[in-house]
Amino acid sequence: MTATHVAARAHNYDAFLRAKVAAVPSLGFPVTTADLHPALMPHQAASVIWAVRGGRRALFHAFGLGKTLMQLEALRLTLQHAGGRGLIVLPLGVRQEFIRDAALLGLSVAFIRSIDEAGPEGIYLTNYETVRDGKLDPRDFTVVSLEEAAVLRGCGGTKPFRELMRRF
């Protein structure tokens, strides 16, 4: 086989693979580093810009890289852009971390267990069980963020996971 044939085959295979890729629509809005809180590190800023620009995106950073700050900043920017209120669904054990990091960004957050405890604006925290059990409907919020990917590990294989995702 000649070099031309090899190159043609590689090009055809590359085109074949590109045709298989499902393009995900961008559902977010543009932001720049100037829009971000200055407390964010460069990797956090880049991640927030990517997440907000695309919308419906997940950040799977390793422990210690500041996912809490990234989530809070993404919600802040989204609410600044679209208005309304935001919800972060989390395990109870990390609630204090979110309250602490929100203060670092100049934000105030409140833990709620029902929509009656939420105002028309702001960022709210709740636990997974509250949403799973139907005590709080995520559709009542402009933006929702799920903390702790381990909760989602079932990928549809467990009844609690299926019930939780049904609510979204």
Side-chain angles (χ1 to χ4, degrees):
M1 193 178 305
T2 67
T4 305
H5 284 94
V6 171
R9 279 187 133 171
H11 175 74
N12 288 343
Y13 187 67
D14 186 55
F16 167 76
L17 290 177
R18 289 185 190 282
K20 296 282 186 192
V21 174
V24 177
S26 181
L27 301 170
F29 54 93
V31 292
T32 67
T33 53
D35 300 317
L36 301 175
H37 193 283
L40 268 64
M41 303 284 284
H43 73 278
Q44 294 167 330
S47 295
V48 169
I49 289 170
W50 174 82
V52 171
R53 194 175 289 152
R56 295 186 186 175
R57 293 201 169 158
L59 300 174
F60 293 107
H61 292 275
F63 179 80
L65 292 178
K67 290 181 300 292
T68 303
L69 286 173
M70 290 184 250
Q71 280 183 272
L72 288 162
E73 183 66 355
L75 264 69
R76 182 191 72 78
L77 290 166
T78 302
L79 295 176
Q80 181 181 326
H81 175 79
R85 55 189 169 209
L87 179 67
I88 298 174
V89 186
L90 45 68
L92 286 175
V94 297
R95 177 174 41 175
Q96 292 306 318
E97 181 182 334
F98 274 84
I99 293 168
R100 182 197 67 228
D101 284 359
L104 178 69
L105 297 176
L107 302 172
S108 123
V109 296
F111 185 82
I112 61 172
R113 293 189 188 270
S114 76
I115 197 64
D116 299 331
E117 299 174 73
E121 297 177 336
I123 297 175
Y124 298 93
L125 311 173
T126 198
N127 60 317
Y128 277 96
E129 293 77 13
T130 298
V131 175
R132 182 196 65 206
D133 296 344
K135 297 175 185 172
L136 197 58
D137 188 342
R139 294 173 293 188
D140 291 330
F141 296 84
T142 303
V143 58
V144 177
S145 181
L146 305 176
E147 164 63 12
E148 194 55 52
V151 174
L152 307 176
R153 193 173 306 161
C155 293
T158 65
K159 183 178 179 185
F161 176 84
R162 287 191 305 271
E163 181 60 26
L164 180 65
M165 289 300 103
R166 187 178 70 75
R167 303 234 177 246
F168 286 90

